[in-house]
Amino acid sequence: MIVLTDEQESELTRLARSKRTSVRLVQRARIVLLAAQGLQNKDIAEQLGIGRVQVARWRERYVESGLRGIERDLPRGAPPVKVDVAKLVELTTQTTPEAATHWSTRKMGEVLGVSASTVMRHWQAHGLKPHIVRGFKVSRDSKFVEKLEDIVGLYVSPPEHALVLCCDEKSQVQALDRTQPGLPLKKGRAQTMTHDYKRHGTTTLFAALNVLDGQVIAQCQQRHRHAEWLKFLRQIDRETPKDRTLHLIADNYATHKHPVVQEWLAKHPRFNMHFTPTSASWLNMVERFFRDITVNRLRRGVFTSVPELVTAIDEYIAHHNIKPKPFIWTKSAADILQKVIRANSRLSSKQNGTLH
């Protein structure tokens, strides 16, 4: 039997009669009041229309903790596990799991004794993405600074009465046909495509991107020797205004510097060549166009022959040139140079650490 003081009985009676108190707390107060009157659990349960076990539970909690024991439910489930965030970050950035190259949420969760979702939440909070690797290559060109400033200068402040053309070749573009016909996209199902393919040959796409307006001059050829490059230069000569000086940005590929090409350029003084530094093809904005045509037209295309592939490329470029959109270069040469300097210093420290 529960014995109540006058103050306790008054407080429980107020709760039991209150219309602002939660239904659960009203019921629990009534249980305690009836128990104080000497009623048994089964009688209280019958009177309130609830289970006898429920009555016993709240009588016991009131005896143990008083009013606080019936005001709130006990927390459900296991208590939350505290994560050692510092250890999580250290393990992610400084170590690798056994017989693996990088951590996954499940592997890290097993080590720390937490759920995979908890690991993911803390990774996101700290900007950690161990499943991603970014490719890079820092140029070691001895004239990197000169070439960088030259090319960025053409992008940011092109010379008057001149055209700046970013030129390059996308070689080994494959005409791939699938071994079985795929199913089209429909509600609830993605488009399907077989993982294996039939290869019907390749072509090389020569392209020159006009930095000013985004127009592309292009030509597909079987190979990419100096003879094909020279043929493309003649096309550029035909399709650009004769009164304009041309500044061509290209990489250090030997084809672009072949003696026959040099001889032709000497006879056409309006052509001015600007070469990107070694391992710095990202400076050539035509690479951005090559990415677009790969993603939008080539990667998921099905081609039964090289002529069909070439037709698809020509159609894409013709469509692009109807409403061309130039790519805007935003980084200054100084900003890029500072980034390269930081990368070189970090690489040097890593190499020195390895040596020691």
Side-chain angles (χ1 to χ4, degrees):
M1 179 177 175
I2 297 177
V3 179
L4 299 175
T5 64
D6 292 342
E7 184 180 351
Q8 290 173 332
E9 184 176 358
S10 175
E11 178 66 18
L12 289 168
T13 302
R14 184 187 65 80
L15 291 173
R17 293 175 179 176
S18 175
K19 294 184 178 180
R20 295 185 178 181
T21 306
S22 68
V23 175
R24 290 182 178 181
L25 184 55
V26 169
Q27 187 182 77
R28 294 166 191 174
R30 293 178 67 187
I31 290 172
V32 176
L33 288 170
L34 291 172
Q37 296 175 13
L39 273 68
Q40 299 295 319
N41 290 347
K42 64 178 181 178
D43 298 325
I44 297 173
E46 184 177 348
Q47 185 172 336
L48 298 181
I50 57 178
R52 188 173 59 181
V53 175
Q54 187 176 354
V55 173
R57 179 192 309 130
W58 293 114
R59 285 185 66 163
E60 182 180 349
R61 290 188 185 176
Y62 187 84
V63 171
E64 291 176 354
S65 306
L67 186 59
R68 289 185 306 169
I70 64 173
E71 282 180 330
R72 294 183 180 180
D73 294 341
L74 291 178
R76 297 181 179 181
V81 179
K82 292 185 178 180
V83 183
D84 187 343
V85 179
K87 183 178 180 181
L88 185 150
V89 173
E90 181 183 357
L91 288 174
T92 305
T93 58
Q94 305 297 326
T95 67
T96 57
E98 186 177 355
T101 59
H102 61 280
W103 289 101
S104 67
T105 55
R106 289 176 177 81
K107 289 178 182 177
M108 182 63 74
E110 290 174 2
V111 171
L112 297 179
V114 297
S115 66
S117 59
T118 300
V119 174
M120 177 58 71
R121 185 170 65 253
H122 287 290
W123 276 355
Q124 290 176 342
H126 289 82
L128 298 173
K129 301 178 181 179
H131 62 291
I132 295 177
V133 175
R134 302 291 188 195
F136 83 101
K137 179 68 180 291
V138 178
S139 175
R140 300 297 188 186
D141 196 312
S142 59
K143 296 184 178 180
F144 177 82
V145 177
E146 299 172 28
K147 294 178 179 179
L148 171 69
E149 293 176 343
D150 178 36
I151 293 174
V152 174
L154 289 174
Y155 292 154
V156 177
S157 181
E160 294 184 1
H161 309 296
L163 295 178
V164 179
L165 302 175
C166 297
C167 305
D168 202 359
E169 307 93 8
K170 182 175 178 61
S171 60
Q172 298 294 310
V173 183
Q174 302 182 83
L176 300 181
D177 186 12
R178 301 294 155 174
T179 56
Q180 298 172 4
L183 297 174
L185 173 70
K186 64 176 293 186
K187 184 177 180 180
R189 186 191 68 202
Q191 179 183 355
T192 64
M193 180 178 288
T194 60
H195 67 275
D196 54 346
Y197 54 83
K198 299 175 183 177
R199 188 170 179 269
H200 294 290
T202 63
T203 188
T204 295
L205 170 61
F206 290 78
L209 173 71
N210 189 330
V211 172
L212 179 63
D213 59 11
Q215 288 270 353
V216 174
I217 300 171
Q219 183 182 110
C220 286
Q221 301 190 58
Q222 275 194 321
R223 304 176 70 177
H224 57 292
R225 303 165 303 176
H226 75 275
E228 285 75 22
W229 170 244
L230 195 55
K231 183 178 178 181
F232 182 56
L233 289 178
R234 293 192 179 101
Q235 180 182 356
I236 294 175
D237 191 28
R238 290 193 304 270
E239 297 186 14
T240 53
K242 299 297 182 181
D243 59 338
R244 296 294 183 94
T245 302
L246 303 180
H247 293 270
L248 273 61
I249 298 172
D251 59 27
N252 280 306
Y253 189 47
T255 294
H256 301 156
K257 297 181 177 181
H258 193 277
V260 177
V261 174
Q262 296 290 341
E263 183 180 345
W264 185 90
L265 291 172
K267 296 177 181 178
H268 296 77
R270 77 188 190 106
F271 281 76
N272 298 275
M273 298 299 301
H274 304 263
F275 296 105
T276 61
T278 305
S279 303
S281 59
W282 46 267
L283 267 175
N284 197 331
M285 283 204 288
V286 76
E287 300 295 340
R288 186 64 178 78
F289 171 77
F290 284 154
R291 175 192 175 278
D292 283 355
I293 192 173
T294 300
V295 171
N296 297 328
R297 188 62 186 94
L298 300 178
R299 185 169 294 161
R300 289 166 60 174
V302 176
F303 309 104
T304 59
S305 65
V306 172
E308 185 179 344
L309 170 63
V310 172
T311 299
I313 292 173
D314 292 341
E315 288 175 351
Y316 179 88
I317 293 171
H319 181 268
H320 168 87
N321 286 339
I322 294 174
K323 290 183 179 180
K325 184 178 179 181
F327 301 113
I328 307 300
W329 191 271
T330 57
K331 286 289 185 181
S332 67
D335 290 340
I336 297 172
L337 188 57
Q338 287 300 316
K339 198 169 184 178
V340 171
I341 290 172
R342 289 196 300 270
N344 275 319
S345 65
R346 290 176 182 175
L347 284 174
S348 298
S349 64
K350 288 288 184 183
Q351 291 171 348
N352 291 335
T354 303
L355 292 173
H356 291 86

